[in-house]
Amino acid sequence: MFFLIGLGLGDAKDITVKGLEIVKKCSRVYLEAYTSVLTIGKEALEEFYGRELIVADRDCVEQDADSILAEAAETDVAMLVVGDPFGATTHTDLVLRAQQKGIPYQVVHNASIMNAIGCCGLQLYSFGETVSIPYWTDSWQPESFYDKIAGNRARGLHTLCLLDIKVKEPTLESMTKKKKEYMPPRFMSVSEASHQLLQILEKKRSGGEGSLAFTEKTLCVGLARVGSPEQKLHAASLTEMSNTDLGLPLHSLIIAGQLQPLEVEYLEQFLSKSYSLEEHAFS
């Protein structure tokens, strides 16, 4: 059997009872460390689970998936995933491959950022399409997520922005070498994401675009380390968010749409002193 087990967002104890029982009985247990990371290390998980974990980095997940599934054809194998297993298309692909090979599988769900963002008080049913904001380079500066934000805002919906992480990313210089060299891990902050959004805004204005998806004054919510004891939330204008330090990763950013009275009341506790929700206009 191949098991995909969600770990939740906080610490080792966030795994479900069902998930923990499966981990203890499997012959091999992989910890997927590509699409997201926990705020604690592998060692803390091993101590709580009472067994060794095999770190599955990007190369392992993308290139050796068939080998992992071949093991699952002979014995019980588990893949541990931060958040919920279906929070990334990578894991959907693993399930499809298992189906194609006739390998039985089971999914154990858990909390993910997709539902835990409700901790800021914005109602989940008022969110539109989720977007991902990638790190820009000198030669690659995609803006396709802007149109999705615009579509959400046109309908008065909030937008959850998932921020880029770079774990075991090969350097450009080593791509042509036999031995890969890797860049240091990077985790996009709400400040970095906001800076990129402001740059897009300036480009749209310079290009003469009349109706903008958001402005410098648009209300945003920054979230850091959701689900952990060190969770931090801050609500402010996009400009202020670009100068906000929420500390260690992981971060997420919400671009607010139209606010309901209950959302306004709840957001007050995280709101910047320089931003008044009473004066907030849908801008």
Side-chain angles (χ1 to χ4, degrees):
M1 178 79 77
F2 177 61
F3 296 93
L4 269 173
I5 302 174
L7 297 183
L9 294 171
D11 58 30
K13 295 181 180 180
D14 284 348
I15 191 171
T16 64
V17 174
K18 179 189 292 185
L20 183 58
E21 289 175 345
I22 293 170
V23 166
K24 288 182 177 296
K25 76 172 186 177
C26 282
S27 299
R28 294 171 72 83
V29 182
Y30 292 88
L31 174 61
E32 193 265 271
Y34 163 40
T35 58
S36 188
V37 294
L38 278 177
T39 54
I40 59 172
K42 165 178 170 283
E43 294 75 16
L45 294 178
E46 289 179 327
E47 181 179 356
F48 183 71
Y49 300 157
R51 62 164 307 143
E52 180 184 0
L53 304 180
I54 304 167
V55 174
D57 58 22
R58 180 174 185 170
D59 291 342
C60 177
V61 174
E62 293 187 343
Q63 299 174 19
D64 297 333
D66 288 338
S67 297
I68 295 173
L69 291 175
E71 295 172 0
E74 304 295 332
T75 186
D76 288 338
V77 174
M79 177 77 76
L80 307 183
V81 179
V82 177
D84 185 82
F86 287 136
T89 55
T90 297
H91 311 127
T92 303
D93 178 66
L94 284 173
V95 169
L96 289 173
R97 291 193 193 197
Q99 290 176 336
Q100 292 165 2
K101 296 176 182 295
I103 299 171
Y105 70 91
Q106 182 178 342
V107 177
V108 181
H109 294 284
N110 210 320
S112 77
I113 192 62
M114 300 294 286
N115 54 26
I117 53 169
C119 66
C120 72
L122 297 181
Q123 301 300 302
L124 294 181
Y125 58 76
S126 294
F127 278 80
E129 186 173 0
T130 299
V131 304
S132 296
I133 299 182
Y135 275 115
W136 282 353
T137 66
D138 292 339
S139 58
W140 188 68
Q141 299 184 355
E143 302 177 2
S144 56
F145 51 86
Y146 174 89
D147 292 332
K148 295 180 180 180
I149 296 172
N152 288 341
R153 295 267 296 168
R155 297 189 296 276
L157 302 175
H158 313 309
T159 303
L160 170 62
C161 303
L162 302 178
L163 309 187
D164 202 1
I165 67 173
K166 299 290 187 184
V167 179
K168 205 173 181 182
E169 290 282 332
T171 62
L172 292 175
E173 294 77 10
S174 72
M175 295 293 283
T176 57
K177 299 179 181 179
K178 292 184 179 179
K179 183 179 180 180
K180 287 184 180 179
E181 297 174 352
Y182 298 98
M183 296 184 289
R186 297 174 66 196
F187 305 92
M188 183 180 285
S189 67
V190 294
S191 174
E192 291 172 309
S194 298
H195 272 293
Q196 289 188 184
L197 290 170
L198 288 170
Q199 289 180 62
I200 293 174
L201 182 60
E202 185 59 32
K203 289 180 183 179
K204 298 294 182 182
R205 281 207 184 101
S206 299
E209 185 165 322
S211 179
L212 298 171
F214 49 82
T215 72
E216 293 87 348
K217 296 181 180 180
T218 295
L219 177 66
C220 297
V221 183
L223 307 91
R225 302 170 299 282
V226 172
S228 78
E230 293 77 33
Q231 174 177 300
K232 191 170 184 179
L233 285 75
H234 184 66
S237 68
L238 179 60
T239 295
E240 182 175 338
M241 195 64 69
S242 69
N243 296 305
T244 296
D245 181 6
L246 293 185
L248 296 173
L250 293 171
H251 290 193
S252 300
L253 181 69
I254 298 171
I255 301 174
Q258 290 180 315
L259 299 177
Q260 304 301 319
L262 188 62
E263 294 176 316
V264 170
E265 182 180 354
Y266 201 93
L267 273 177
E268 287 280 3
Q269 61 188 304
F270 312 117
L271 194 64
S272 166
K273 293 180 180 179
S274 63
Y275 199 100
S276 173
L277 288 177
E278 292 180 358
E279 299 174 0
H280 172 67
F282 185 48
S283 61

